[in-house]
Structures are given as C-alpha cells and as structure tokens.
Amino acid sequence: RPGGGRGQAGAAARPLRWDYDMVHYGHSNQLRQARAMGDYLIVGVHTDEEIAKHKGPPVFTQEERYKMVQAIKWVDEIAPGAPYVTTLETLDKYNCDFCVHGDDITLTIDGKDTYEEVKTAGRYRECKRTQGVSTTDLVGRMLLMTKAHHSNIDEDLDYRKHTDNFGKGPKGHSPWTGVSQFLQTSQKIIQFASGKEPQPGDTIIYVAGAFDLFHIGHVDFLEKVHQLAERPYIIAGLHFDQEVNRYKGKNYPIMNIHERTLSVLACRYVSEVVIGAPYAVTADLLDHFRVTLVCHGMTEVVSDKDGSDPYEEPKRRGIFQLVDSGSNLTTDLIVQRIIKNRLEFEARNQKKEAKELAVLETSRELMLGSWNAAASPSSGGAKSSSREDSEQGHRCWCAQDVLA
C-alpha cells in the first residue's frame, strides 16, 4: 500500500508473483482471493526472459501480459519485470506486508521453491487454486481440435486421452499440472460479479461476442468502449458455445460458456454479463437493458442463421458504433502461436510436472521419516497418549502441509 508500511494496522499490500503465460479465470480468481486479504494489491509480472528460463516459451509477450493483468478488476498496481524468486527485498521494495500465492507449488529451473525465503520469514499466505482450469488443458484443447469441452457435449475419446496424457511425465501426474473438470456454481458467479445496477446518468453500452480465451485484443476493445462515455455501464453478451461454433467453426470456442463468463466478469471495464445472449441484438434486449449504445469491433460480422444482420435493430435506431481497438490480436492468432510451438509447450509441461513430482516424493519421505521416528521405541512416541505426543503428531502434519 503506497505510504503504508509493514506492521501498520490493516496493511496488506503485497506483490503477487505472476508467472502465468496465459491469463485465464483461474488466475483472476487467485487475484480476487488475494485482494480480499488486504487493502491494496500489487502484482509482480515476470519478463519473457524469466518465464522462458524457468518454464518455457510464453504464449503472450510481457507487454501483453502487463496490460492483461492491469485489466483485472482486483489489481491495484503492477510491478513490471518482477524477479521469478520472491525475496524479502522484493516485498520491502514495494512496501508490502506479505506475499500471496496459490496452494500449488512453484519451482525454479533447478527445482527450488521460489517462495522459500518469504515462507521462512512468515510473510507468505496461500489462496485456493481454482479446480478445472489450467494452461495445460487450454493448450491441449487448441491442439486437439475437439469440441468435447463445450457445454452440453459428451466427452469424446480424444479429449479423455488428452486429460489423461497431456503433459504427463514418465512417473505419473502432478496434482498441480494435471487436468480436471471445471464445475460452474452460482457462488462463483456472485464472487466475480460486480453486483452493481446501472444508475441514473450512466451510459448503458452493449457489446456481444464469444470473448474466447479472453485476451489483450478484447481488453483493448473494452477499454476503448469504456472511454466513449463519462459514466459507462458496459454489458457484455456472451453467445452459447453452439452459436459460437456456428460462426467460428473448427472447435471454437476454446473456453466454454461458463469459463468465458468468469473471464469477462473479471475485467474492470465490464459491469454485467448476459450468459447465452441471443446472436441478433433484438428490440426486446435493447429495451430490457435500456441500452443507449451498441458497439462492435472491426472483426467481420457473420450473418444470423436466416441471413439477416444481427445488428439490424441497433442500426435502425441509430445507436450502433464500430470501435477500432488498435489491436490485431485475435483468438485465431493465439491458437497459431500455440500450434507453432507445440513441441516446446509439451516439453515444458513434462519438465514442470517432473519437478513437481520430485518435490512430492521428497515430502512423502520426510513425512514417513517423521512418523517412523515418532513411533520408534527410543522416541517414546508409542508409549503413551500424553499431550506432548499429541503435539508432536500435530507438528508433523503441519510440516507436511508446509512442504506440500
């Protein structure tokens, strides 16, 4: 927190280590939890060089990632070029009380915990990892070109093989890198939603699309739309998966409707999301939300199923406007980046998983050693059920929790 200091009442500013090379709603949820722990959130964003050194080729450039992170509504400030290993010096430099990270482990290129120093000093906190989403899974969906991740479509054999094998090392799966199923809940939507109704004097602006793999092109567009009014209230209409697939083809969308909803809700420029918006912007929709302006980017507008213009009604009312985001990045280009570097991404995931499994094995050995020592006759651990023995057992589990 600017002007604050460690030890002050209520102070909770901290840089969150950010090694995410593809920003998705799981990362946004981590930042949401971190922001709730304090009153000012600083996010450290790594350079391309640091990510390439420790993890492999990044999907987005550092400049793209800087802007993506800044667009997440729970972020107060970013720290560009943050070191991959978080030290006490880093926390003090940004006047932070503590550091927050997810409950998955993060390792350097030589397999060391990047948070060891701040953990030892007691200036480390954890938040829960979002189940059902990972960069590994998203990359796999792009490479496989299947539709099994769409809502209301049964899982097919290719996708099942992907979830079982993508990035898998020779010794099995890491619990942090593996793929799991995302289950949407009303509570999660509430946590992400602003909960704010439009107020008198607000300009209600409607935008619609897939917003797939929510990226810097979307952010640039929404930022430009946000600048069109003094008090903008932006409503984003998200099309159902089958509708997106109709006009995008292939295996689009890469993210299903539930995943795309959270991604868009996390953006600071968006006030509300319509889940499963109609493709045609109808009079009923405009009247229901009291829309005063409808915007679309410079991408092609595909005709509706009957061949009609989906923006016919807002154009008739004179409230339709094209907005040039100034960005040429599209979901297609992101997929092309992944396919181009496919072998490198797969190798990156296997190396990452191997390091994580090594740490897990070490943790299990340490835990087993602690239990054996406690149970041995010389330790006295098996002779009584005294309070001292109970405390020893408790310390063992705490140690395991820390190591895991």
Side-chain angles (χ1 to χ4, degrees), residues 279-299:
Y279 187 66
V281 183
T282 63
D284 286 344
L285 184 149
L286 297 175
D287 294 340
H288 178 80
F289 291 109
R290 304 190 303 277
V291 175
T292 53
L293 183 63
V294 176
C295 295
H296 184 79
M298 305 307 290
T299 55

Side-chain angles (χ1 to χ4, degrees), residues 22 59-61 64 68 142 210-221 247-248 250 252-254 296-300 323-339:
M22 182 183 294
V59 177
F60 293 109
T61 68
E64 290 170 340
M68 280 294 298
M142 297 179 216
F211 292 97
D212 194 17
L213 289 177
F214 195 75
H215 53 72
I216 191 64
H218 299 133
V219 169
D220 286 338
F221 168 69
Y247 64 80
K248 287 282 290 182
K250 299 180 182 177
Y252 291 114
I254 303 300
H296 184 79
M298 305 307 290
T299 55
E300 178 190 4
V323 175
D324 187 352
S325 69
S327 172
N328 62 358
L329 184 64
T330 64
T331 304
D332 286 327
L333 287 176
I334 294 172
V335 173
Q336 288 174 24
R337 290 181 185 182
I338 294 291
I339 293 175

Side-chain angles (χ1 to χ4, degrees), residues 221-239:
F221 168 69
L222 291 169
E223 183 181 22
K224 286 291 179 63
V225 171
H226 195 269
Q227 294 169 353
L228 294 176
E230 185 176 343
R231 291 174 50 184
Y233 186 94
I234 299 178
I235 301 175
L238 301 189
H239 302 141

Side-chain angles (χ1 to χ4, degrees), residues 81-157:
Y84 196 78
V85 176
T86 302
T87 64
L88 294 175
E89 181 182 1
T90 302
L91 295 187
D92 292 338
K93 176 182 177 181
Y94 291 99
N95 196 26
C96 296
D97 296 277
F98 55 88
C99 175
V100 178
H101 190 260
D103 53 7
D104 55 322
I105 195 164
T106 307
L107 306 170
T108 63
I109 191 172
D110 53 1
K112 295 182 179 179
D113 185 351
T114 59
Y115 292 99
E116 182 176 357
E117 183 175 325
V118 291
K119 285 178 179 178
T120 302
R123 293 173 67 180
Y124 174 86
R125 297 186 186 180
E126 282 187 352
C127 53
K128 292 183 179 179
R129 181 177 182 270
T130 304
Q131 293 298 318
V133 61
S134 68
T135 302
T136 301
D137 187 22
L138 295 176
V139 169
R141 294 180 194 180
M142 297 179 216
L143 297 176
L144 283 170
M145 300 301 289
T146 68
K147 301 179 185 178
H149 55 278
H150 293 178
S151 60
N152 302 321
I153 290 184
D154 293 333
E155 185 177 71
D156 66 17
L157 182 60

Side-chain angles (χ1 to χ4, degrees), residues 191-346:
Q191 290 171 342
F192 272 60
S194 68
K196 296 179 181 178
E197 297 283 341
Q199 301 300 310
D202 287 353
T203 299
I204 302 176
I205 307 174
Y206 182 75
V207 298
F211 292 97
D212 194 17
L213 289 177
F214 195 75
H215 53 72
I216 191 64
H218 299 133
V219 169
D220 286 338
F221 168 69
L222 291 169
E223 183 181 22
K224 286 291 179 63
V225 171
H226 195 269
Q227 294 169 353
L228 294 176
E230 185 176 343
R231 291 174 50 184
Y233 186 94
I234 299 178
I235 301 175
L238 301 189
H239 302 141
F240 278 128
D241 297 341
Q242 287 70 31
E243 187 66 64
V244 175
N245 188 251
R246 178 187 70 82
Y247 64 80
K248 287 282 290 182
K250 299 180 182 177
N251 70 328
Y252 291 114
I254 303 300
M255 284 183 168
N256 65 44
I257 184 66
H258 306 301
E259 298 169 319
R260 290 183 284 121
T261 295
L262 297 185
S263 296
V264 177
L265 281 174
C267 180
R268 66 173 67 250
Y269 304 119
V270 175
S271 301
E272 181 63 287
V273 166
V274 180
I275 304 172
Y279 187 66
V281 183
T282 63
D284 286 344
L285 184 149
L286 297 175
D287 294 340
H288 178 80
F289 291 109
R290 304 190 303 277
V291 175
T292 53
L293 183 63
V294 176
C295 295
H296 184 79
M298 305 307 290
T299 55
E300 178 190 4
V301 177
V302 179
S303 299
D304 206 346
K305 298 184 186 72
D306 60 1
S308 62
D309 181 354
Y311 291 106
E312 181 179 344
E313 180 61 23
K315 287 179 179 178
R316 187 189 68 79
R317 297 188 183 194
I319 60 171
F320 179 76
Q321 183 173 337
L322 287 174
V323 175
D324 187 352
S325 69
S327 172
N328 62 358
L329 184 64
T330 64
T331 304
D332 286 327
L333 287 176
I334 294 172
V335 173
Q336 288 174 24
R337 290 181 185 182
I338 294 291
I339 293 175
K340 180 181 177 182
N341 296 291
R342 171 175 183 163
L343 295 179
E344 289 183 84
F345 284 120
E346 289 183 339

